[in-house]
Amino acid sequence: MSVAVLTGIAFVGVLGVVAGAARPRRSVGMSDFHVAARAVPPWWNGAAISSEFTSAAACLGTAGLIAAHGSPMLWYPAGAAAGFVLVLALVVAPLRRSGTYTLPDFAEWRLGSARLRGFTTCFVLVIGLVLLVAQLHAAGAVVRLLTGLPPWLGWAAVAAAALGVAFAGELGSVTSVQAAQFWLKLVVFLGVGAACWWASGGRPPAGGAAWFEGAYRTGGAELAGAGDPSLPGVLAVLLACALGTVGLPHVIVRVYTCSDGSGARRAIVATQVMLAAFCVVPPLYGVLGHVHVRGAAADEMMLLLPARLLPGVVGEALTGLLAAGAFAAFLATTGGVLAAVGGAVSACVSRGGARGGARSFRAAVAAVMVAALAVTAATTPGASVPLMLLGFSLSAATFCPMLVLAIWWPRLTDAGVAAGIALGGGVTAALVVAEQAGVWTGALTSCPAPVAVPAAFAGMIMISLVTPGRTPRGVGSMMGRMHLPEHLAGPPAHRSSHHEGRSSHEHSPYGDDY
């Protein structure tokens, strides 16, 4: 089995680096490194976003939770779908029209504060590290389970491939790899799932339907409420997934890679269609796993299924295919998060023009990956879903309120945003730490989003109301730019360009597409 698994992993890694390096360069400016020259077609962009979202948690962890807890866990992918509806309705077009290209860049442009840019960059880094650690731990678990090799080899394989793609050609390379890997994952997981279904007799396993239709029930929850089959627990996770999607840095950066607001909207619609097709995967493996691989860890159940149903060479080959699909998932999400976080960090510190920005981008990407590897080595391996939900919860309690209020409420101030982000992120962290330390256990601590998100919104609104003097000048023109169609809004009245040492009214180094 280890030969087939290692072959599949090596194939995905080499394919990813080659696909990224082979992408034709569209530009040599800063926009090429951070927003893929704003020239990604909507359906290609939708495939890349879908690939980022169908991560280790979606491919392995959710299927394992469905196998353990039944139908209540089906709401987890539904939460992501609801999140993209919110992104489409509230965020996509206005954010694309702003003329910025990262969350911190948007915060500085809209609120007029360079300090706020640095503050939001720190939270981008924290959320990115949580998501990266989830992928690295899952990759280590797959390597240990299927080959018996040390987990750090899985971390190293994902890290090396992701860095190779990012170094080969920035966000455009990452986008090309992710889009190709989405179709690879979809074909592999559906194909192997169909083979396992046929091996089980081509019908629902005995007793599986009754278990799958089970009602909500009480049960223990993991980090950030993962695996809680009670109705309040499921609703809390649904809220975290829906609102967290709105603020995820590696999802929001995709808005900027389309040529205009209309293209960005079409990319989100394409994402919803592709994710709907992929949503067949978790319940398919979950039902089979409940019957044939009982008692396995959430991230391991799906990988053990082919060998249980089809012992011998066929089972080994199918397991190798699943390992390839799993590593495609790890690499797609890791590459997207790495590019988004590295881009935000480098844009915050780079002042060397396009060439200096390219060096800064690569240095930031390498530093972020080293930090993620260090955190992974210093933490205990755990399931991927709880860590991913922690990232979603932090995103929901920080960047979701900032984006919604900055786009739709003109009285928002930089002090309000800073207070709301600190409050939402602080409440989330405090509740999670209290739960993990056993200091205080209960529904509020195991599922922080229903508490932290309202606190963040309230903090931003209240502090903004008591600091009206900090409302940025020209907010009316900014709101008009975000909400008027492109042909009426005209060129941007302001663009953050401190990276190049220029005034905000000079020509932007990020492109001339506005």
Side-chain angles (χ1 to χ4, degrees), residues 70-320:
S71 57
M73 300 295 102
L74 286 177
W75 285 107
Y76 285 22
F84 279 109
V85 173
L86 295 176
V87 172
L88 182 63
L90 300 177
V91 174
V92 167
L95 190 62
R96 179 62 185 84
R97 296 183 189 120
S98 70
T100 58
Y101 68 98
T102 67
L103 279 174
D105 194 31
F106 173 76
E108 182 180 11
W109 174 80
R110 172 63 178 82
L111 284 311
S113 172
R115 291 183 178 180
L116 183 63
R117 180 195 191 96
F119 186 64
T120 53
T121 299
C122 292
F123 275 84
V124 168
L125 180 60
V126 170
I127 294 172
L129 286 177
V130 171
L131 300 179
L132 288 173
V133 169
Q135 304 307 308
L136 294 176
H137 272 314
V142 169
V143 168
R144 177 191 54 78
L145 173 70
L146 298 181
T147 68
L149 296 172
W152 66 264
L153 289 175
W155 315 344
V158 171
L163 286 174
V165 172
F167 282 9
E170 38 47 54
L171 187 60
S173 295
V174 175
T175 300
S176 298
V177 172
Q178 288 173 326
Q181 286 173 338
F182 173 76
W183 300 111
L184 171 66
K185 288 186 290 185
L186 186 63
V187 170
V188 166
F189 289 137
L190 288 180
V192 176
C196 291
W197 186 266
W198 172 82
S200 69
R203 59 184 182 277
W211 153 82
F212 187 73
E213 295 171 359
Y216 298 103
R217 56 196 181 277
T218 59
E222 296 184 71
L223 187 68
D228 185 352
S230 67
L231 182 58
V234 171
L235 291 176
V237 170
L238 183 62
L239 177 69
C241 290
L243 298 184
T245 301
V246 176
L248 284 178
H250 61 293
V251 171
I252 292 302
V253 75
R254 294 291 172 191
V255 172
Y256 304 116
T257 60
C258 291
S259 58
D260 52 32
S262 176
R265 287 193 295 269
R266 292 198 299 272
I268 298 300
V269 172
T271 300
Q272 292 171 309
V273 173
M274 295 176 191
L275 287 179
F278 200 90
C279 280
V280 177
V281 172
L284 172 62
Y285 284 93
V287 170
L288 292 172
H290 173 73
V291 176
H292 300 287
V293 197
R294 290 195 180 190
D299 287 345
E300 298 177 355
M301 179 280 299
M302 186 172 165
L303 298 168
L304 295 174
L305 188 61
R308 297 287 179 88
L309 289 171
L310 294 163
V313 177
V314 175
E316 292 181 5
L318 293 179
T319 301

Side-chain angles (χ1 to χ4, degrees), residues 289-508:
H290 173 73
V291 176
H292 300 287
V293 197
R294 290 195 180 190
D299 287 345
E300 298 177 355
M301 179 280 299
M302 186 172 165
L303 298 168
L304 295 174
L305 188 61
R308 297 287 179 88
L309 289 171
L310 294 163
V313 177
V314 175
E316 292 181 5
L318 293 179
T319 301
L321 286 174
L322 281 185
F327 264 78
F330 302 145
L331 180 57
T333 303
T334 300
V337 173
L338 196 60
V341 177
V345 171
S346 67
C348 193
V349 301
S350 174
R351 298 178 185 271
R355 187 170 298 176
R359 290 194 297 266
S360 177
F361 174 81
R362 293 188 174 110
V365 164
V368 170
M369 180 54 76
V370 170
L373 289 169
V375 174
T376 304
T379 53
T380 303
S384 59
V385 173
L387 281 172
M388 293 294 290
L389 280 179
L390 177 58
F392 274 80
S393 297
L394 286 170
S395 172
T398 54
F399 291 131
C400 174
M402 182 194 77
L403 285 171
V404 172
L405 293 176
I407 290 172
W408 296 99
W409 190 45
R411 299 176 66 183
L412 188 67
T413 67
D414 59 337
V417 170
I421 289 178
L423 183 59
V427 169
T428 301
L431 293 179
V432 167
V433 169
E435 169 75 13
Q436 295 301 301
V439 176
W440 181 23
T441 59
L444 294 181
T445 53
S446 63
C447 305
V451 179
V453 173
F457 270 103
M460 290 188 188
I461 293 172
M462 293 176 62
I463 299 301
S464 295
L465 291 176
V466 300
T467 57
R470 300 187 68 89
T471 302
R473 290 182 298 175
V475 65
S477 62
M478 294 181 200
M479 300 299 289
R481 170 153 189 83
M482 288 190 290
H483 294 286
L484 288 174
E486 281 87 347
H487 67 280
L488 297 177
H494 173 86
R495 180 81 64 92
S496 174
S497 56
H498 69 280
H499 322 295
E500 307 293 332
R502 306 177 183 181
S503 72
S504 61
H505 299 283
E506 290 184 77
H507 176 72
S508 169

